């Protein structure tokens, strides 16, 4: 599954476009975010992407979960959003 990493500085419309493109191509995508700002941008992006794919008959479903990732040899907790079409 393709993983998109979102930062607090990511533009929600750009991330939403990437989410929509991967969803149309592969049917699923994972979005990872570390920190409150990144999670905020991710949620906004998911809401926008849902509007992008709805006219194509794609019902975007989001499954949130915690994930451990390594950044600079340091373990951090990330939030991952598994996005699927139903």
């Amino acid at each position: 599954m393709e993983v998109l990493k979102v930062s607090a500085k990511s533009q929600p419309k750009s991330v939403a476009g990437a989410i929509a493109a991967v969803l149309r191509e592969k049917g699923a995508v994972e979005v990872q975010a570390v920190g409150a700002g990144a999670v905020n941008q991710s949620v906004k992006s998911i809401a926008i992407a849902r509007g992008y794919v709805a006219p194509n008959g794609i019902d975007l479903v989001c499954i949130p979960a915690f994930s451990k990732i390594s950044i600079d040899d340091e373990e951090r907790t990330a939030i991952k959003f598994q996005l699927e079409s139903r």
Side-chain angles (χ1 to χ4, degrees):
M1 182 180 305
E2 181 137 355
V3 177
L4 300 177
K5 296 181 180 180
V6 178
S7 79
K9 296 178 183 176
S10 297
Q11 295 293 322
K13 284 187 177 183
S14 299
V15 176
I19 290 170
V22 175
L23 264 177
R24 286 187 188 111
E25 184 181 320
K26 299 186 179 176
V29 63
E30 184 177 299
V31 175
Q32 282 186 351
V34 177
V39 170
N40 180 46
Q41 297 302 77
S42 297
V43 171
K44 288 194 278 188
S45 300
I46 293 165
I48 294 167
R50 187 174 165 102
Y52 287 170
V53 298
N56 300 106
I58 298 172
D59 185 19
L60 178 60
V61 177
C62 176
I63 304 164
F66 289 105
S67 176
K68 297 280 186 190
I69 62 170
S70 180
I71 300 174
D72 298 330
D73 294 329
E74 193 176 309
E75 193 172 87
R76 304 280 306 264
T77 300
I79 300 247
K80 68 176 182 177
F81 300 96
Q82 186 173 332
L83 307 175
E84 303 171 353
S85 60
R86 290 213 180 131

